[in-house]
Amino acid sequence: MLRPLVGRDAGELFLLVDSHRGQLARWLPWVSATKAVADSTFYILSLTGFWKTGLAFGIFVRDEFAGTVGFQNGDERNQKVEIGYWLAPPFHRRGLGQRAVTLALKVTFAHTTAHRVAARVQPENQASIALLERVGFIFEGTERQGLKFPDGHRDHRVYSLLRTEFVS
């Protein structure tokens, strides 16, 4: 199940991130800056809408918090946005990520004017690359040193999916 994150999710979100910090920090630059429940609270409360600062959904499996999928860097004028997602390691390899991303895209294309959704993924993250390709994203190229991590800048593969290419 997906549902928008709300302030009361901050504690559970923080505990999930903190419990899997080492594995998540490998792929997600924001993990190292998430040091307390207050950081998760600030993140959730800063989400003011799809085209503004973003929108995030919690991914829940039988009422257990499993990860998030959301949208950021919206550009309403050009009808484009970026998608981001993650699952805690206990929920990997079950098809949950693909189902969550597909559902989030379905809602996005049905209820917004978004024309293009981009995703950025590290070249070594084969599971995420496979997920994007199964959903229909097309590889566009490599953004050299496009994201800053605590240990320096890293390359990312850029993928995109157009409204006309999406098959739910």
Side-chain angles (χ1 to χ4, degrees):
M1 176 183 84
L2 298 185
R3 73 164 169 74
L5 290 177
V6 294
R8 72 176 179 273
D9 294 323
E12 198 172 357
L13 174 60
F14 175 76
L15 288 175
L16 187 63
V17 170
D18 199 46
S19 297
H20 304 285
R21 182 172 299 282
Q23 293 130 317
L24 296 174
R26 178 177 180 196
W27 310 116
L28 305 167
W30 53 264
V31 169
S32 64
T34 305
K35 298 177 181 175
V37 173
D39 298 318
S40 295
T41 301
F42 178 79
Y43 165 69
I44 292 169
L45 296 179
S46 72
L47 299 169
T48 60
F50 185 81
W51 292 116
K52 294 183 180 180
T53 60
L55 175 68
F57 298 95
I59 302 169
F60 294 86
V61 178
R62 293 183 206 92
D63 296 324
E64 188 177 358
F65 207 137
T68 68
V69 60
F71 299 93
Q72 62 272 341
N73 301 324
D75 178 349
E76 188 172 17
R77 181 182 183 130
N78 292 300
Q79 298 174 306
K80 62 184 183 174
V81 67
E82 292 181 16
I83 191 168
Y85 51 88
W86 63 273
L87 283 169
F91 298 96
H92 289 182
R93 302 192 195 296
R94 297 190 201 176
L96 298 171
Q98 182 176 338
R99 291 199 308 257
V101 168
T102 300
L103 183 56
L105 290 166
K106 186 174 186 177
V107 169
T108 295
F109 288 132
H111 298 286
T112 75
T113 59
H115 173 73
R116 180 183 194 279
V117 177
R120 299 177 193 296
V121 59
Q122 290 180 51
E124 301 82 15
N125 193 341
Q126 292 301 313
S128 191
I129 289 169
L131 182 157
L132 291 171
E133 291 174 348
R134 281 192 306 272
V135 173
F137 279 76
I138 304 297
F139 174 65
E140 293 185 339
T142 299
E143 180 183 33
R144 297 174 340 141
Q145 298 187 6
L147 278 182
K148 186 175 187 282
F149 281 75
D151 63 350
H153 290 82
R154 297 188 192 167
D155 292 351
H156 276 75
R157 291 173 59 103
V158 179
Y159 287 80
S160 69
L161 180 69
L162 304 180
R163 173 184 291 274
T164 54
E165 298 166 338
F166 179 67
V167 179
S168 61

